Amino acid sequence: MPTALRQAIFFALLIALPVASYFFVFKPQNTQIEKAKKEIEHKQAMLEKLKQATAQADDLARQNEQIGKAIESIEARLPDGKQMDEVLRQVSSLTSKSGLRVPAFKRSDKVLTAGTAMEQPLNIEITGNFDGFYQFLLDLEQLPRITRIPDFSIVRSDEVDGEMMTKLTLSIYYEGSNKDAK
Amino acid sequence: MKGFQSRSDTSGGSFLPEEYLHRKAEVRSIVISFGLFCIVITGIVGAFFVTNREWGTVKVRQEQINREYAVETAKIEQLKALEKQKVEMIDKAEVTTALIEKVPRSILLAELINRMPKELTLNSLELKSTRLDAKPVKIDKRASATSSNRAKASKGGSKSKVPPKEVELEKPKVRPPSYEFKLEIIGLAATDDEIANYQTTLRNCPLLRNVELVFTSAVKVDDVQVRKFRIEASIRTDIDARNIEPLQVPRLPARPTLANGPTITDASEFDPSNQDPTVPNSPVFTGASGRSKE
């Protein structure tokens, strides 16, 4: 084989070697690396978002704890039963302290459900002056148990100057079962 | 290429044998070729190592990211559970806090009385509530039943022990009690201006909405011509008035739960001629002719 041809073949092989290695080794590997890099980039971006989201977990747990405590504090104000004797005693005490009179104190037959608690409406009639009634309301709102006044009617007395008669519905709440509801 | 085989004739003649020169040129070309081959191979191998190393680094980083991703995904599950818990707790809190009166009646009364103009008295004040309870929601579970349940049911056939009602209905969701409050105010005033002023101040009251004057008419009380009026309003249910400071109440001490604002406790400090709506005025439920109990 002539030397020139041999050398030409050699040089051709010499050039073919890096070209072939590029196409058969490096190019696929580079493609793989690029793909992996893109995946890493994408996951990193996702990871940032996930980290931001999961950073709220502690706050969320704290918020849940606070809500739980708030619920407990309200539920603690719900007695197990109606405790009508206690309510009567408290109303009587508050009205006498405020210089009011209670001509009528009547339990309504209608017991209602109020969310998870039971509601017992009480129909109360109170007479006295406005200052006393206002003081009665202030004191009533300070009672440990939950109460509401959904209805009231205040009418000026025609007989005694400065006197008024109030008819109000005082709803008391307690923990009970739906069986109590009518 | 020719340079590898023979020396140039122009470089001058040589006394060495042609064969020797030819072999020497061949050896030189072999050495050069081998050198080039080594350079190329070294380059390829070097490039391979560099690429391989990069691939290794990328792979390690990828594994690390995947591990972190798995950890964060687990945290996301935890977060979802916490969010679900929060929704449940908020629902429960909504039901529980609905029991608390958002507009304490003492504050409502203070607002109604202290917004009254000087020559105006109230004869009656009525608050009526209407309960607006939504009907409990019954969810048809048949639609959301899983395929596995269906499969179990179909396997059981007619002998299925699951009671149909249990499958069909979920426990109704507890709803908080909600109310609508209507207020009716009947009173007497010296002039229609006083009534209009009272309506305006009531409209400005943050606790009330839909403040409407129903009528005014002339009546005689103790031989004095006065105007009788009726105002109706609704109490807003979307506000929480528990922590607001009502307009000053001169005859009673400050609410113990409220901020220590300036409060007139001495009756002598009370100036009835002052018509500033933020300052207390005439007492309520007294005689129409201005017969004050104080």
Side-chain angles (χ1 to χ4, degrees), chain A residues 26 29-37 40, chain B residues 46-62:
Chain A
F26 295 113
Q29 203 165 20
N30 283 342
T31 312
Q32 223 170 358
I33 289 170
E34 279 305 308
K35 199 177 161 189
K37 275 184 178 173
I40 287 171
Chain B
F48 178 77
F49 276 114
V50 169
T51 314
N52 207 36
R53 196 172 171 186
E54 195 183 349
W55 171 238
T57 313
V58 167
K59 214 170 177 183
V60 167
R61 179 83 187 115
Q62 197 178 21

Side-chain angles (χ1 to χ4, degrees), chain B residues 175-233:
Chain B
R175 299 272 177 187
S178 58
Y179 293 89
E180 189 181 73
F181 296 102
K182 295 273 179 199
L183 197 65
E184 187 187 288
I185 302 164
I186 297 173
L188 299 167
T191 62
D192 278 343
D193 283 349
E194 300 283 342
I195 298 166
N197 287 344
Y198 189 41
Q199 193 195 359
T200 306
T201 55
L202 287 182
R203 273 196 179 147
N204 295 333
C205 177
L207 307 181
L208 302 177
R209 62 181 168 87
N210 301 333
V211 179
E212 298 293 340
L213 177 67
V214 179
F215 73 82
T216 70
S217 60
V219 289
K220 268 192 175 181
V221 177
D222 294 343
D223 294 329
V224 178
Q225 191 81 17
V226 288
R227 305 290 299 175
K228 188 176 181 181
F229 68 92
R230 179 171 155 183
I231 292 174
E232 290 182 355

Side-chain angles (χ1 to χ4, degrees), chain B residues 33-53:
Chain B
S33 300
F34 183 72
L36 283 173
F37 179 77
C38 285
I39 289 166
V40 169
I41 288 296
T42 309
I44 291 171
V45 171
F48 178 77
F49 276 114
V50 169
T51 314
N52 207 36
R53 196 172 171 186

Side-chain angles (χ1 to χ4, degrees), chain B residues 57 67 132 173 223 284:
Chain B
T57 313
R67 271 198 304 274
L132 312 165
K173 193 179 174 184
D223 294 329
V284 72

Side-chain angles (χ1 to χ4, degrees), chain B residues 130-193:
Chain B
T130 313
R131 194 161 163 164
L132 312 165
D133 277 5
K135 286 181 180 176
V137 181
K138 290 184 177 179
I139 300 164
D140 190 349
K141 278 183 79 179
R142 277 175 298 186
S144 59
T146 59
S147 56
S148 60
N149 282 346
R150 273 185 234 132
K152 278 179 193 174
S154 62
K155 274 180 192 174
S158 59
K159 290 177 183 176
S160 174
K161 288 177 182 176
V162 184
K165 277 188 180 176
E166 261 180 55
V167 175
E168 282 167 18
L169 299 173
E170 198 179 359
K171 194 181 173 184
K173 193 179 174 184
V174 179
R175 299 272 177 187
S178 58
Y179 293 89
E180 189 181 73
F181 296 102
K182 295 273 179 199
L183 197 65
E184 187 187 288
I185 302 164
I186 297 173
L188 299 167
T191 62
D192 278 343
D193 283 349

